[in-house]
Each structure stands twice: as C-alpha cells, then as structure tokens.
Amino acid sequence: MKKNYAILLLLPLLFVVIIVACSKSDDEDPYIPVAPVSPVTVDLTQVPYPKLSDYKFFTGAMKDQKPALNVLPYQPSSALFTDYAHKKRFVWMPVGKKATYNGDNKILELPVGAVLIKTFYYDNVQNVTPVGASRIIETRIMIRKADGWIFADYVWNAEQTEAYFDLAGSITPVTWKDENNVTRTANYKIPTEVQCIVCHKSQHLEDNGSLTTKHIPIGIKPQNLNWNYNYSSGSKNQLTKWIEKGYLKNDFTLPTASNTVIDYNDVTKSLELRVRSYVDSNCSHCHMNDRHCDYRPMRFAFSETGLPGGVGLTNMGVCVDTQDMQDFPASLSKIVRPGNIERSMLYYRLNTTEEAYRMPLHGRTLIHEEGVALFEQWINSLTTCP
C-alpha cells in the first residue's frame, strides 16, 4: 500500500518532465560544448605591445617558453647561424584563418593577424647567476597587419621574468660552455629595426620607376618545413600538423624529397645537399631577385642551386668573377675557385669576423667553424668549372 502511494505522488512530477521534454522543438540544435579559447591577445590597433607578456603567448613562467593554446612550435630543417644561439620558434593565427601555399620554395602566405615568434637563448651560461643556467637574450616577433608585416623585438631582463620592446639594437656579452664543454664568448648583437629590414625585405621596381619595399618572413617555406617535428603529442610532419591545426589550407602536395631542404649538420647526406641547404638558410634571403643583394650574381635559394647543366654551380659562384674587389686580396678573383679555398671569395667572407667583409652582413660576430669546415670540404671537392 505504501509503495503504491509513493508511485501516485511521483506521477505528477513525471508528467511535468515529459511535457517539458516534448516542448523542445526538433529544429533546435543539440548542445555543443564550447571549445577552449586561446588566451593569446593580438590587437592589431595596439601592437606592438610594450611587454612580451602582454601577448600571452606562453603559459606558466614565461622563460620556460611553454606555448599557450594554439601557439604552434615549428623548426626549419636548416637553421640560420646566429653566434651559436639556440632558437625556439612558434606561430599563432587568429581562429578560422589559414596560411596559403604558393609553391615549395616560396614563403607561405600567412593571414592578417598571424604572428611569428622566435626566441634566442644559450644553455650552460657562465656569466649569470646561477652559473650554468640558460639565458634568453631576445624574442623577435613579426605581426601580419592588413598593410603588411611589422617587426617587434623584446629584450629579456636579467631576472628572466619579462622582455621589453626595443628596436634600437644593443650588445649583450655572453659566455657559455658548448656541447663539447668548450667555453665560448660572444658579444651578442641584438639588431636594430633597420638591420631587421635588410634581411626581411622584398623590393619591386614599379612601371613608373618607383621602388616598392615590403617586409617579409624568410624561413617559412614548405621545402624547409617538410620534415618531422617532435610535438608533445608525438612526431609528425610539420606541414601535415599545420593542416590538422587549421593553420594551412589543404590544397597542395607535400614537396618531393628532391625539393626538400635537409639539415646541413647531417653527415649521412651528400656534401652537395648539405652545402645547398646551408646557403639556402644563411644566404638566400638576400641573394635572390628583388632582395638586398640581388645585384650580386649568386642565387643561393635551394631551388636555384640544384638546377642542371652547371647552372646550379654557377648560381653558387663556382668560377664566377668577383665584383668590386675594394680592399680584398687580388688572389680572390673568383667567388669559388675549385680546389682552392685560399683563392675563393666566398670562403674568405665566411671565415672572417671583420664587419666590413664578413658574410652574412648581420646576425653573427663569430665564425661558424662547422660551416666553414663544410665549405672547405666542398670547395676542395670541386675539380673543374661548370
């Protein structure tokens, strides 16, 4: 009897529930969970911000460089040498925006609002407290606005808690022990805005004779990103990852092996590929059409140094006459003289720290010993002109 009485009491409540449930229109969308929102803040009317932390690119202690949601790490297969500094690179794009592929050897076209982030640091630094700690020197970023790319450089404080906007340029002494426990010292040069523009510019002569200059990224070419990166979720081809992340339109085929730059430190690869990859990452951004050094005969892009019929070697400067000798030794009459490093201008300029003569123009104050050794091996392997 008590059980029946309880059922009678519940019947009105059940009736109300049924009415409410049936009153929902069949046309209404079912509940969809809200996706997490990236904390990154990039207001194109306000950037560049005064502090790196204002962007919220990183979670936790900023010096740990742990990317926030939708801040994607990346790494080109061959890196630009910068006085042995290590680098961490990231890309961020607004929700729903994607980059466009324009060719294996052409810079990805990033959408308005996109940001490229590049942090320069040293491990096992000796002139800091505590001795042997890592030290971040600077974080450079490029922001794509509606009218083009802008630069912003952020110099880190000694406490490694913040980095402040500064495009005036400066010098930071740093002493560290490398992977072989060799102590090295550099007067690390943080670039000025003008120096940034030298490497990150493309120029075009208009029909009316005026010269148009625009700022561009230089490392985000498909042929440089076509290799696996160890993400927190596992190893994956970077271009595939960009597509999965919604950062790149899925309307192209991955570059072939012959169109893909390799790691020039990989001694299992051919000497030719290693040298071509080195000049692509360290020299090609200036030595190509419409760039800072386009008046020179060398064309160092990976796609141009591999051309058949001796054209690729000529683009590398093999047996090409040197221009504007100035104060250089008279013996340096060829950019690359086969089998003779002492008479090769290219080798000479890589193997000096004299600011008036060294190459690249900016980004290094030290000799890249491993790079110089690579070129010595390559030049000595050449026997004839193309």
Side-chain angles (χ1 to χ4, degrees), residues 45-341:
T45 67
Q46 300 297 318
V47 294
Y49 297 136
K51 305 189 304 296
L52 183 60
S53 61
D54 293 335
Y55 298 90
K56 300 181 174 61
F57 290 137
F58 307 105
T59 63
M62 198 165 62
K63 68 178 181 180
D64 295 336
Q65 297 283 283
K66 183 180 179 181
L69 182 66
N70 294 338
V71 176
L72 187 66
Y74 74 93
Q75 183 179 338
S77 50
S78 270
L80 174 68
F81 174 76
T82 314
D83 280 355
Y84 291 102
H86 300 298
K87 297 159 190 174
K88 290 184 179 180
R89 304 169 182 84
F90 308 90
V91 59
W92 178 85
M93 298 186 204
V95 175
K97 298 293 186 68
K98 296 183 180 183
T100 302
Y101 164 88
N102 295 317
D104 294 348
N105 62 332
K106 297 184 184 299
I107 300 161
L108 291 171
E109 185 71 23
L110 269 59
V112 173
V115 185
L116 295 170
I117 308 148
K118 188 175 182 181
T119 293
F120 296 72
Y121 70 100
Y122 290 87
D123 288 330
N124 204 3
V125 178
Q126 303 300 295
N127 59 332
V128 296
T129 302
V131 173
S134 296
R135 183 184 179 189
I136 302 175
I137 307 295
E138 60 171 329
T139 296
R140 304 176 191 174
I141 71 173
M142 293 186 69
I143 304 170
R144 175 69 189 274
K145 295 183 121 181
D147 57 351
W149 289 92
I150 66 167
F151 305 104
D153 202 355
Y154 292 86
V155 181
W156 285 69
N157 59 14
E159 297 77 21
Q160 301 284 274
T161 56
E162 186 59 270
Y164 298 92
F165 177 72
D166 186 350
L167 278 172
S170 57
I171 293 176
T172 301
V174 57
T175 300
W176 75 99
K177 288 188 176 181
D178 65 15
E179 294 82 357
N180 299 315
N181 208 37
V182 175
T183 300
R184 294 181 179 272
T185 298
N187 286 318
Y188 182 93
K189 220 170 170 182
I190 298 172
T192 65
E193 184 174 17
V194 171
Q195 290 169 335
C196 292
I197 293 172
V198 167
C199 293
H200 288 272
K201 74 179 178 185
S202 176
Q203 296 179 313
H204 179 69
L205 190 63
E206 303 293 343
D207 293 338
N208 61 7
S210 63
L211 190 65
T212 301
T213 300
K214 65 177 183 178
H215 304 159
I216 57 170
I218 59 178
I220 51 169
K221 294 179 286 189
Q223 65 181 19
N224 299 74
L225 300 176
N226 188 36
W227 69 293
N228 284 11
Y229 181 87
N230 290 322
Y231 299 96
S232 58
S233 58
S235 178
K236 180 163 287 189
N237 179 283
Q238 293 180 90
L239 296 173
T240 301
K241 184 72 171 182
W242 281 44
I243 291 171
E244 290 181 355
K245 190 74 174 176
Y247 275 8
L248 180 60
K249 292 180 181 179
N250 188 13
D251 58 358
F252 67 98
T253 303
L254 292 179
T256 62
S258 61
N259 287 341
T260 299
V261 177
I262 66 164
D263 179 0
Y264 56 74
N265 295 304
D266 187 351
V267 295
T268 68
K269 303 297 184 181
S270 73
L271 186 58
E272 177 200 9
L273 279 177
R274 293 175 64 203
V275 170
R276 288 177 55 208
S277 296
Y278 188 96
V279 294
D280 179 82
S281 62
N282 286 276
C283 314
S284 69
H285 45 272
C286 283
H287 288 275
M288 65 171 62
N289 293 340
D290 300 327
R291 302 295 177 84
H292 187 73
C293 296
D294 69 349
Y295 60 94
R296 298 295 188 190
M298 297 84 77
R299 290 295 179 266
F300 285 134
F302 193 75
S303 57
E304 296 186 271
T305 56
L307 294 174
V311 177
L313 284 173
T314 300
N315 284 339
M316 290 278 287
V318 178
C319 296
V320 175
D321 290 340
T322 302
Q323 302 169 313
D324 305 327
M325 291 296 290
Q326 300 174 5
D327 298 325
F328 292 107
S331 60
L332 300 174
S333 58
K334 301 293 182 183
I335 296 170
V336 173
R337 186 177 290 277
N340 196 329
I341 60 173

Side-chain angles (χ1 to χ4, degrees), residues 314-377:
T314 300
N315 284 339
M316 290 278 287
V318 178
C319 296
V320 175
D321 290 340
T322 302
Q323 302 169 313
D324 305 327
M325 291 296 290
Q326 300 174 5
D327 298 325
F328 292 107
S331 60
L332 300 174
S333 58
K334 301 293 182 183
I335 296 170
V336 173
R337 186 177 290 277
N340 196 329
I341 60 173
E342 300 301 329
R343 301 188 66 186
S344 297
M345 177 68 80
L346 178 60
Y347 182 87
Y348 179 89
R349 302 193 76 171
L350 290 173
N351 198 35
T352 182
T353 57
E354 290 291 331
E355 192 166 3
Y357 306 132
R358 71 185 180 215
M359 281 290 172
L361 292 169
H362 305 298
R364 77 169 181 92
T365 62
L366 302 177
I367 292 173
H368 187 196
E369 296 170 8
E370 296 79 5
V372 169
L374 174 63
F375 273 85
E376 179 176 358
Q377 185 181 359

